[in-house]
C-alpha cells in the first residue's frame, strides 16, 4: 500500500475546507483557510513590493473576498491556492492602479488657460467623433467603457458592481477600445 504524500493530503484538506465554506458557509473551515493563507498572501504581497502594513490590510481584504466569493470556487478549474493567490494578485494590481491615480491636490486648480479658437474647434470635432464612436459600440461594451473611464472604476470594482467575471470585463473593454481606436482613425 502506498502512502499519500503530505502535500496531496494538505491539498485535499484545503479543498474540503473550501467546499465547506462554499456550500455550508462553515466558519471553522474558513478559520483554517484564513490561518493557512493569510500569512502566505501577506508574504506574497511584501515580496511583490508592498509595504508590510498595506500587505496586512490587503491580505485581510483578500480573505474577506474568499469568504464573499466562495460560491464561485470550482475545484475542477483551479486548486484552492491558485484561486486565492489569483484574488491576491488581482487585488495587488487594483491597489497599484489606485496608487497611480493623482491625488486632488496634485491636480491643477484655477481657470483653464485660454485655447486658440482653432484648437477649440478641433477638440470639439474630436469629442463629437468620440461620441458617435461610443454610440456605435455594443451596449455591453459601451456601459463598461463608461464605468471605467467616466465612472473612474477599476476593473475589479466593475466586476463587483456588475457581477460579471473579471476576464469578461477586461475582454469587453479591450475590444471596445480597439473599436474606438479604429473609429477615431
Amino acid at each position: 500500500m502506498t502512502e499519500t504524500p503530505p502535500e496531496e493530503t494538505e491539498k485535499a484538506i484545503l479543498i474540503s475546507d473550501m467546499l465547506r465554506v462554499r456550500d455550508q458557509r462553515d466558519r471553522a473551515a474558513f478559520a483554517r483557510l484564513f490561518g493557512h493563507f493569510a500569512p502566505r498572501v501577506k508574504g506574497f504581497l511584501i515580496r511583490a513590493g508592498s509595504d508590510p502594513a498595506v500587505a496586512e490590510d490587503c491580505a485581510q481584504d483578500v480573505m474577506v473576498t474568499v469568504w464573499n466569493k466562495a460560491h464561485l470556487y470550482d475545484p475542477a478549474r483551479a486548486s484552492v491556492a491558485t484561486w486565492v493567490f489569483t484574488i491576491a494578485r488581482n487585488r495587488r494590481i487594483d491597489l497599484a492602479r489606485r496608487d497611480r491615480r493623482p491625488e486632488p491636490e496634485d491636480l491643477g486648480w484655477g481657470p483653464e488657460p485660454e485655447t486658440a479658437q482653432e484648437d477649440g474647434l478641433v477638440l470639439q470635432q474630436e469629442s463629437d467623433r468620440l461620441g458617435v464612436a461610443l454610440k456605435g459600440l455594443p451596449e455591453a461594451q459601451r456601459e463598461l467603457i463608461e464605468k471605467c473611464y467616466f465612472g473612474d472604476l477599476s476593473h475589479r470594482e466593475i466586476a463587483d458592481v456588475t457581477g460579471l467575471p473579471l476576464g469578461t470585463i477586461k475582454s469587453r473593454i479591450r475590444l471596445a477600445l480597439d473599436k474606438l481606436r479604429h473609429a477615431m482613425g
Side-chain angles (χ1 to χ4, degrees), residues 95-123:
L95 287 174
R97 284 184 184 141
R98 185 195 68 199
D99 291 343
R100 285 195 304 257
R101 290 184 183 163
E103 292 296 320
E105 58 269 6
D106 294 339
L107 300 174
W109 293 99
E112 292 286 318
E114 292 290 325
T115 58
Q117 193 170 13
E118 306 86 42
D119 292 342
L121 181 60
V122 169
L123 183 60

Side-chain angles (χ1 to χ4, degrees), residues 61-185:
D61 191 40
V62 166
M63 295 311 295
V64 168
T65 301
V66 167
W67 174 262
N68 289 330
K69 302 278 184 167
H71 64 281
L72 299 175
Y73 175 69
D74 180 0
R77 293 183 65 197
S79 70
V80 178
T82 299
W83 191 69
V84 171
F85 280 97
T86 299
I87 293 170
R89 178 188 155 276
N90 292 339
R91 191 57 42 100
R92 183 177 62 80
I93 291 168
D94 290 344
L95 287 174
R97 284 184 184 141
R98 185 195 68 199
D99 291 343
R100 285 195 304 257
R101 290 184 183 163
E103 292 296 320
E105 58 269 6
D106 294 339
L107 300 174
W109 293 99
E112 292 286 318
E114 292 290 325
T115 58
Q117 193 170 13
E118 306 86 42
D119 292 342
L121 181 60
V122 169
L123 183 60
Q124 181 61 46
Q125 289 171 343
E126 286 184 6
S127 295
D128 292 344
R129 282 181 44 218
L130 180 59
V132 169
L134 278 169
K135 287 179 185 174
L137 290 175
E139 185 176 340
Q141 291 176 359
R142 186 178 64 251
E143 287 177 4
L144 294 178
I145 289 290
E146 289 171 351
K147 283 178 177 25
C148 184
Y149 292 97
F150 302 124
D152 202 28
L153 296 175
S154 70
H155 292 170
R156 169 65 58 197
E157 291 167 331
I158 295 170
D160 291 342
V161 168
T162 63
L164 292 170
L166 188 59
T168 300
I169 289 167
K170 289 179 180 182
S171 295
R172 286 184 184 171
I173 288 175
R174 189 172 31 256
L175 286 172
L177 290 174
D178 285 343
K179 289 177 184 177
L180 290 174
R181 277 188 207 99
H182 181 72
M184 296 299 288

